[in-house]
Amino acid sequence: MAMRDARREPPDRDRQPGATDSQHGQQVEAERDRNATLPAERDRAPERIQMASDQPSHPEGALQAASPSDVAEPIVVENTLWTAASPNAYGGNQPASITHLRELDVEDKSDNARWSGALEIIPTKADYVLDLIRANSLWPLLSGLACCAIEMMSAATSRNDMDRFGMFPFRASPRQADVLIVAGTLTTKMAGPLVRLWEQMPEPKWCVAMGDCTCSGGRYKRSYAVVEGIDRIMPVDVYVPGCPPRPEGLIYGMLKLQQLIIERRGHWPDRQVGPSVPAGV
Amino acid sequence: MTADATRIRSLDDPTLFVDTPATIYDAVPPYPPRSEREAEFYHLRDGELLINLGPQHPSTHGVLRVVLKIDGERVVDLDPVLGYLHRGVEKICENGDWHHAISNCDPLEYVASMFSEAMPVLACEKLLDLEVPRRAEYIRVLAWELNRIASHALFVGWLALDLGGLTPILYSFIERDEIVEMLAALTGQRLLFNYLRIGGVNGDLNHEFMSRLGDWMSHAAEQLDNNQKLLNENEIFVRRTKGLGTLDRETALRLCMTGPPLRATGIPYDVRRAHPYSVYPELEFRIPTREEGDSYARYQLHLDEARESIHIIDQVLHQMPDGPVMAQIPRLIRPRPGRAWIAIESPRGQYGCFAISDGSDQPFRLRIRDPSYFNLQAVGVLTPGNLIADTMAIMASLDPIMGGIDK
Ligand code: SF4
């Protein structure tokens, strides 16, 4: 998660050359020009505006590098070891020449919560490790809509004790949670707040539909007030049918979710919203 | 969000959408006030602020939304917004026949669904003038009282959880899970039992249920005492609930409150005694009451009632007669045209049903009277003047279940 903080406040790259001597600045600039493949970046590079804030605040020469060779260039190691199965995975095949988090700003803001772009150059299978960590510390959101919520609580307490499998105690705030267990009947009045909850959760996030009501409308399918399945308004990763499912059923679903997180590396930005239950069922 | 945010559209398929009322996001409704009360509520004086409690909030026990008007930490006024769980149960019941109504009424009171599923059953039996076998009546009472204990156990856990203590709910769920597993052996379901039938019950007592029940009965009272010790001697709990949300008798009666909140004010109204039904007249039990009417009294009362229920179960097991568990009734039920009102004592109060039959095999109208709805009204009386954090303690001690309130 420290990664994302860094991304939000990227260290100011352009300020660095100003602090060193101008010759080296140009050298860095030329180097980057060669590497840069993104058009936006190339256009921006030649005419750097020297704002007041770009000037060094310390006296001339105080922090200068002794010689140009003292300033280390970032080491670029291309990822030649493996490729993602989906072309859209890991930031949509960003060129591996991006060397700084700042340069990620030119891509669109959608966050697929991968170590994409710059960090793809790390020639380890960091994603495996990350997914393993994520899968084994799921933090579900404490949000019950109806009857199924009682069984969800039962799954989390003494008798069934979901904590055993690395699903942490329920969080009350969507901003701290990464699994939304929708437990209970979703009515049209509640649909708006539920989508809002889902959007408030930070990526990466997963959704578990618990109970017949959330899978397809269940026993209230023909009611005038009920959404026939939450997959009409949000993507769903795991369906746990039953009215209500037993707590063991929910735990089984969560174990499946863990498996899915580990196996579906990088694919889950492709999730679709829309009914996966055939019409007329 | 603006007033025109009425439609939630799927990101990928523009043909998919869900209509929602315009006001869901707004603390202040975008429309002109509809009543004097609303105009007064949404007129903010200096320093006042509106905040939303819910619909997703761990202590609203479901999807209740309460708009709180606060001044600093104090609640000045509040406006509950219901309907987030309105599933149209009563309408669905009219579209199926009388047997379907049983399972459709199940999710109303989902913590104690043995009571809500009794509504169409008892109403239909009254319309049919049906004599239910005595063994079936005893089994019903047994199931009801077991479910009452499970529900009261959850109440204690939730109350402590809403006050910030996690431990009691772990113990509550041990007790509750033992009971629902027992009922699952009897009925096949843990939560929505669908066990009562018009004219009896679905299936006789079986061996697994009886052995589980015997195990549980041997330590039930002791378990209850242990759970009670956890909170009764907890100074934080006592100081946060004693004297909080004190309800007086007149207000409670004026709001049509029933069940533990009413009995905690000292009025011994219990449907089991006041309007006896089933085999309760043959059983011996007391109606526990408390005088204080505050949150702590309501908590104590729940424990007393659970203890009485164990006593009732004990008697039921000793007096259980032999015989059939289903009356001889035709498969297609056509009650006489007419109206019937029945009421039973659920863990939350008087659970009633007003049924109209037009002589066909479908109920013409089932109107469910859910006690949580009436008990919840007290929040409006008790909360103003208290701290925001105490709102949770008051709300939890009234024990509302949104399934029945919104239907
Ligand atoms: S699936 Fe059944 S138990 Fe779950 S919310 Fe729907 S009606 Fe209630």
Side-chain angles (χ1 to χ4, degrees):
Chain A
M1 300 304 112
M3 254 13 272
R4 244 181 283 136
D5 289 343
R7 205 182 287 182
R8 211 176 302 132
E9 287 181 352
D12 197 348
R13 175 175 54 92
D14 282 351
R15 208 179 289 173
Q16 300 288 31
T20 62
D21 65 9
S22 62
Q23 202 187 2
H24 174 64
Q26 280 161 12
Q27 196 184 334
V28 171
E29 213 53 67
E31 187 88 21
R32 187 162 292 113
D33 242 345
R34 228 179 315 119
N35 282 344
T37 49
L38 295 167
E41 178 66 22
R42 212 181 297 137
D43 292 344
R44 209 171 53 193
E47 26 165 44
R48 271 194 300 109
I49 305 161
Q50 291 283 313
M51 304 282 289
S53 60
D54 285 342
Q55 304 303 324
S57 58
H58 49 76
E60 208 38 72
L63 261 174
Q64 276 183 2
S67 70
S69 58
D70 282 0
V71 182
E73 275 295 293
I75 304 163
V76 180
V77 184
E78 299 268 350
N79 174 17
T80 54
L81 295 179
W82 54 277
T83 48
S86 158
N88 296 327
Y90 309 111
N93 271 343
Q94 286 284 339
S97 57
I98 294 181
T99 56
H100 201 283
L101 291 174
R102 169 81 179 269
E103 283 157 352
L104 289 173
D105 281 357
V106 297
E107 67 178 320
D108 70 324
K109 292 288 183 186
S110 74
D111 185 2
N112 61 9
R114 286 282 131 190
W115 273 13
S116 59
L119 292 162
E120 203 181 340
I121 61 171
I122 299 177
T124 61
K125 302 205 170 181
D127 281 325
Y128 279 124
V129 182
L130 271 185
D131 280 338
L132 210 60
I133 295 170
R134 281 178 185 142
N136 285 302
S137 65
L138 295 175
W139 291 46
L141 176 68
L142 177 57
S143 156
L145 303 183
C147 352
C148 279
I150 310 292
E151 293 296 74
M152 180 177 80
M153 292 169 87
S154 176
T157 45
S158 324
R159 188 186 175 90
N160 300 295
D161 195 13
M162 224 156 67
D163 285 10
R164 286 177 293 167
F165 304 107
M167 296 141 204
F168 273 39
F170 285 82
R171 308 307 300 173
S173 161
R175 289 159 209 277
Q176 300 169 344
D178 55 10
V179 182
L180 178 63
I181 303 178
V182 185
T185 321
L186 182 65
T187 58
T188 45
K189 190 171 184 180
M190 190 59 200
L194 191 75
V195 169
R196 209 181 187 198
L197 275 180
W198 172 250
E199 282 166 358
Q200 280 179 345
M201 286 166 57
E203 292 275 4
K205 58 190 173 187
W206 298 275
C207 175
V208 176
M210 180 186 184
D212 285 350
C213 285
T214 47
C215 293
S216 67
R219 64 168 81 195
Y220 295 115
K221 193 169 176 61
R222 285 173 188 80
S223 167
Y224 51 84
V226 169
V227 180
E228 294 176 23
I230 58 162
D231 45 15
R232 288 177 174 256
I233 58 166
M234 58 173 65
V236 177
D237 292 289
V238 175
Y239 295 85
V240 184
C243 183
R246 287 180 65 90
E248 295 90 325
L250 179 64
I251 292 175
Y252 182 71
M254 295 295 280
L255 291 176
K256 282 285 170 202
L257 178 66
Q258 288 185 335
Q259 196 183 338
L260 186 132
I261 293 170
I262 293 170
E263 282 176 2
R264 231 207 239 166
R265 308 172 52 238
H267 286 247
W268 40 268
D270 312 339
R271 278 182 305 193
Q272 297 289 318
V273 184
S276 49
V277 180
V281 171
Chain B
M1 278 289 177
T2 52
D4 58 346
T6 53
R7 201 155 250 220
I8 297 175
R9 194 175 281 282
S10 147
L11 301 173
D12 302 288
D13 186 350
T15 57
L16 293 172
F17 58 83
V18 175
D19 276 321
T20 62
T23 59
I24 47 175
Y25 298 118
D26 306 308
V28 181
Y31 45 79
R34 290 169 300 191
S35 63
E36 246 173 60
R37 153 84 186 144
E38 205 169 278
E40 188 213 315
F41 181 80
Y42 287 107
H43 172 71
L44 298 183
R45 272 169 225 87
D46 216 18
E48 286 179 349
L49 191 68
L50 290 180
I51 59 165
N52 267 322
L53 179 73
Q56 187 266 332
H57 190 279
S59 71
T60 51
H61 295 196
V63 284
L64 171 65
R65 174 176 156 219
V66 184
V67 185
L68 295 177
K69 191 191 213 175
I70 52 170
D71 188 355
E73 265 297 292
R74 300 246 162 226
V75 177
V76 181
D77 203 349
L78 85 170
D79 185 20
V81 185
L82 303 179
Y84 284 94
L85 194 51
H86 177 66
R87 308 184 270 197
V89 173
E90 290 177 352
K91 188 71 197 164
I92 290 177
C93 287
E94 293 168 17
N95 295 333
D97 67 19
W98 280 95
H99 297 295
H100 293 156
I102 304 170
S103 71
N104 282 330
C105 281
D106 249 333
L108 282 177
E109 175 129 345
Y110 42 74
V111 175
S113 54
M114 208 55 101
F115 295 89
S116 58
E117 77 182 43
M119 292 296 106
V121 173
L122 298 185
C124 187
E125 281 168 4
K126 189 160 186 182
L127 285 167
L128 285 169
D129 290 325
L130 194 69
E131 184 83 9
V132 180
R134 276 177 57 76
R135 185 172 172 87
E137 291 281 22
Y138 271 95
I139 295 176
R140 279 182 189 179
V141 171
L142 179 61
W144 279 330
E145 295 304 325
L146 279 173
N147 209 340
R148 190 190 310 277
I149 297 172
S151 168
H152 281 358
L154 274 194
F155 163 85
V156 175
W158 272 337
L159 178 60
L161 188 68
D162 290 350
L163 290 169
L166 185 64
T167 316
I169 198 160
L170 299 176
Y171 286 89
S172 299
F173 262 99
I174 292 176
E175 196 177 349
R176 185 250 172 195
D177 274 337
E178 257 178 62
I179 296 173
V180 293
E181 282 296 340
M182 191 192 303
L183 288 173
L186 180 65
T187 67
Q189 247 281 22
R190 274 169 57 99
L191 194 68
L192 311 177
F193 305 106
N194 195 8
Y195 180 58
L196 307 189
R197 290 286 181 275
I198 296 164
V201 293
N202 179 24
D204 206 343
L205 304 179
N206 56 30
H207 179 71
E208 192 192 344
F209 170 76
M210 289 312 282
S211 69
R212 277 176 187 266
L213 180 61
D215 282 354
W216 177 77
M217 281 298 279
S218 63
H219 65 257
E222 190 190 338
Q223 195 178 30
L224 208 66
D225 285 341
N226 279 343
N227 291 2
Q228 186 184 15
K229 247 186 257 164
L230 205 60
L231 286 175
N232 271 2
E233 292 167 15
N234 185 327
E235 199 187 331
I236 301 173
F237 178 79
V238 174
R239 282 171 70 163
R240 277 203 64 185
T241 50
K242 230 178 199 156
L244 179 71
T246 308
L247 194 67
D248 59 88
R249 291 176 189 196
E250 287 68 39
T251 318
L253 288 176
R254 196 158 48 77
L255 295 176
C256 298
M257 293 171 71
T258 47
L262 179 70
R263 289 195 286 274
T265 63
I267 300 176
Y269 176 74
D270 187 317
V271 187
R272 290 176 290 181
R273 183 62 51 79
H275 308 285
Y277 56 95
S278 197
V279 288
Y280 280 111
E282 299 166 25
L283 301 169
E284 202 178 288
F285 58 98
R286 124 188 123 76
I287 309 292
T289 54
R290 299 258 157 180
E291 293 301 321
E292 301 88 355
D294 56 358
S295 289
Y296 188 69
R298 291 193 274 274
Y299 155 75
Q300 289 278 351
L301 195 79
H302 278 83
L303 293 172
D304 293 348
E305 284 192 6
R307 217 163 273 128
E308 276 310 305
S309 290
I310 294 177
H311 185 50
I312 294 177
I313 291 169
D314 207 27
Q315 295 174 52
V316 166
L317 289 176
H318 281 101
Q319 299 177 15
M320 180 78 70
D322 275 340
V325 294
M326 265 306 270
Q328 294 290 331
I329 54 162
R331 216 156 254 239
L332 193 64
I333 299 176
R334 293 182 195 277
R336 63 179 161 82
R339 303 160 178 226
W341 160 258
I342 51 105
I344 60 174
E345 181 72 23
S346 92
R348 285 164 191 80
Q350 182 182 23
Y351 218 102
C353 175
F354 181 68
I356 304 179
S357 161
D358 57 356
S360 73
D361 59 343
Q362 297 179 337
F364 181 76
R365 176 87 171 93
L366 276 184
R367 194 265 186 256
I368 313 277
R369 186 235 189 246
D370 188 276
S372 311
Y373 181 83
F374 298 88
N375 293 353
L376 184 66
Q377 296 180 89
V379 173
V381 182
L382 301 180
T383 311
N386 280 311
L387 300 178
I388 299 175
D390 290 339
T391 312
M392 321 301 163
I394 293 171
M395 225 165 358
S397 72
L398 294 170
D399 200 14
I401 291 296
M402 294 313 292
I405 293 173
D406 289 342
K407 306 208 181 66

